[in-house]
Each structure stands twice: as structure tokens, then as C-alpha cells.
């Protein structure tokens, strides 16, 4: 019982933050868009941007996880970015609208899955949710560098949106430590994560593994870029 007071202490959160940044996989980084300068002006959007429940995933206090920020202490990806960027440098719109009202030259879309567990979370189509594709539709026409941050516990089918984004980061389920994501975005830590499985190009490839007869994943087992 006396150890309960240590749960979530600063030492544990520091380790969790390290785990987040070390596990993030950089899938794409065209023209070295990442890392971002800390004085950037950034338009941030997407349902996974400011939601601890979505960052934590399933088995978080409740079996199927939680929605929102009021069930535990932590830092969302949005709040982590706001800590780093100079005041006024972040413009947030969940649905990706109103970009024209900002003076940003960078768009960061934080998209992905909502919490799930076991068979309730089984999906026969691992495409992005409609609300995520709506965000992409709202931002893709704008003349700005675009970065996709994927919050997910498994590979999603993203081939059709690859050309929309200059950079793609898979941050998995970073839990309460969104600061670990900011560490990567702003270059306080260079990406070291590698895929521990093959990332499928389309659903009819699932499951896909090294050694398959027609092995043509979108990203192969062990893939992961870093910064120059």
C-alpha cells in the first residue's frame, strides 16, 4: 500500500517519456521537414491532438479505455507542443478548418484510432476513420508543409494519403507523456524507433510477414528513419 504513492511520480514519468520517444517510428521525412524549429508557427488539427484517453488506449482504468483528459494526470500532444513553441505559435482546430485564419506555414495533423481492447476492437478495415479523412480533406489543398502524427496500436492503411504529407511519425499509444512526442518533433531526441512488424500496403495483405511469397509491404520489418 505504501508504494501506491510512488505511482506516477516524476521518476516514473521521466522513464515513460523516454519510452515514448525511443519507440516512435519516423516513416517519412521528405526534404527534412522534421525536425521543426522551436519558433515555428504551427497549425495543429485532428481528434487525437488533445485527448489523453486516445493516447492511452484500452485497459486504462476501464476495459475499453477512456475519452478525454479528466481521468488522470498527463500531457497531451497539443499541450506538449505548446510548452515548446513560443507563445502564440500554435493555432489549433480539431477539424482542420480555418487554416486561412492562421499565419502558419506548417500543418501537423494528429490522427488515428480511439481506444479499444480485445475482440471489441477487431476491425476488418484498418483505414483511417471518416473524421480523420475529413481533416485531411480540409488541409490538403493548403500551401504548407504537412506532418502526420499517427496515434495507433497497430498499422493502419495509409497508402492513399502518403502524398498529402511531407513527414509521417507513428507515435503508437504514448499514454500520459505527450512530451515524448514533442521531443522528437522539435529535435531534442533523434528518432531511433524501428518497426517490429511489417506495415501492410492494403488490407488483403493482412497478415503480412517477412518470408511471405509475395512480400511487398508499404514499409518492411525493421524500417525506421532518423534525422541527418
Amino acid at each position: 500500500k505504501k508504494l501506491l504513492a510512488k505511482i506516477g511520480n516524476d521518476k516514473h514519468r521521466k522513464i515513460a517519456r523516454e519510452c515514448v520517444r525511443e519507440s516512435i517510428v519516423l516513416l517519412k521525412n521528405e526534404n527534412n521537414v522534421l525536425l521543426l524549429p522551436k519558433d515555428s508557427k504551427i497549425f495543429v488539427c485532428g481528434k487525437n491532438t488533445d485527448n489523453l484517453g486516445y493516447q492511452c488506449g484500452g485497459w486504462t482504468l476501464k476495459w475499453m479505455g477512456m475519452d478525454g483528459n479528466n481521468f488522470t494526470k498527463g500531457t497531451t500532444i497539443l499541450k506538449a507542443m505548446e510548452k515548446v513553441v513560443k507563445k502564440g505559435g500554435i493555432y489549433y482546430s480539431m477539424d482542420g478548418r480555418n487554416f486561412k485564419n492562421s499565419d502558419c506555414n506548417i500543418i501537423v495533423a494528429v490522427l488515428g484510432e480511439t481506444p479499444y481492447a480485445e475482440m471489441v476492437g477487431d476491425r476488418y478495415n484498418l483505414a483511417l476513420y471518416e473524421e480523420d479523412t475529413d481533416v485531411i480533406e480540409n488541409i490538403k489543398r493548403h500551401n504548407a508543409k504537412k506532418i502526420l502524427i499517427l496515434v495507433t496500436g497497430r498499422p493502419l492503411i495509409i497508402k492513399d494519403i502518403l502524398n498529402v504529407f511531407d513527414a509521417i511519425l507513428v507515435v503508437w499509444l504514448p499514454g500520459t507523456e505527450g512530451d515524448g512526442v514533442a521531443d522528437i518533433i522539435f529535435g531534442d531526441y533523434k528518432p531511433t524507433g524501428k518497426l517490429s512488424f511489417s506495415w501492410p500496403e492494403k488490407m488483403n495483405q493482412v497478415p503480412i510477414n517477412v518470408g511471405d511469397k509475395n512480400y511487398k509491404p508499404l514499409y518492411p520489418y525493421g524500417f525506421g528513419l532518423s534525422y541527418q
Side-chain angles (χ1 to χ4, degrees):
K1 187 176 179 179
K2 65 181 181 179
L3 295 177
L4 289 176
K6 295 186 177 182
I7 294 177
N9 64 22
D10 290 344
K11 181 180 179 181
H12 290 178
R13 290 183 182 278
K14 180 180 179 182
I15 294 171
R17 179 174 179 171
E18 291 173 358
C19 290
V20 169
R21 65 191 188 195
E22 290 176 14
S23 64
I24 289 172
V25 180
L26 179 61
L27 294 181
K28 181 178 181 180
N29 192 23
E30 208 148 291
N31 299 319
N32 296 316
V33 171
L34 290 172
L35 51 95
L36 296 181
K38 294 181 180 180
D39 59 354
S40 300
K41 289 190 176 295
I42 307 171
F43 183 88
V44 188
C45 53
K47 71 179 190 310
N48 296 69
T49 307
D50 194 29
N51 195 308
L52 281 178
Y54 291 1
Q55 289 180 198
C56 289
W59 296 104
T60 307
L61 295 184
K62 292 184 178 180
W63 175 45
M64 294 299 295
M66 308 283 282
D67 181 0
N69 298 329
N70 298 323
F71 65 96
T72 188
K73 178 183 176 183
T75 305
T76 65
I77 293 170
L78 176 64
K79 294 299 187 289
M81 293 178 68
E82 289 176 338
K83 285 184 189 178
V84 176
V85 177
K86 291 180 179 179
K87 191 174 182 180
I90 299 288
Y91 187 98
Y92 173 55
S93 166
M94 183 183 288
D95 62 9
R97 297 183 187 275
N98 300 319
F99 176 80
K100 63 183 181 181
N101 295 335
S102 76
D103 59 350
C104 303
N105 58 3
I106 297 166
I107 298 174
V108 174
V110 190
L111 311 174
E113 295 198 285
T114 54
Y116 60 85
E118 298 181 297
M119 66 279 187
V120 179
D122 291 349
R123 293 173 60 193
Y124 295 98
N125 184 354
L126 292 171
L128 289 172
Y129 292 125
E130 184 176 354
E131 57 193 309
D132 289 339
T133 56
D134 286 346
V135 170
I136 294 172
E137 283 299 313
N138 290 335
I139 65 173
K140 71 180 186 181
R141 67 183 181 275
H142 296 300
N143 184 25
K145 298 296 184 182
K146 300 175 186 69
I147 298 163
L148 172 62
I149 295 177
L150 277 177
V151 177
T152 180
R154 54 194 165 187
L156 301 177
I157 304 303
I158 58 173
K159 183 183 178 183
D160 290 345
I161 63 166
L162 286 183
N163 291 335
V164 175
F165 295 97
D166 301 280
I168 300 176
L169 278 170
V170 184
V171 303
W172 312 115
L173 301 175
T176 59
E177 305 311 304
D179 289 318
V181 179
D183 289 340
I184 294 287
I185 296 172
F186 298 105
D188 290 318
Y189 185 86
K190 291 184 178 181
T192 56
K194 305 294 182 184
L195 290 181
S196 57
F197 40 70
S198 304
W199 194 290
E201 180 179 291
K202 47 195 174 183
M203 280 304 299
N204 64 11
Q205 291 180 315
V206 179
I208 182 171
N209 294 289
V210 175
D212 289 349
K213 184 178 180 180
N214 296 309
Y215 182 70
K216 294 181 180 179
L218 186 62
Y219 296 104
Y221 171 83
F223 184 84
L225 304 173
S226 191
Y227 299 150
Q228 293 181 359

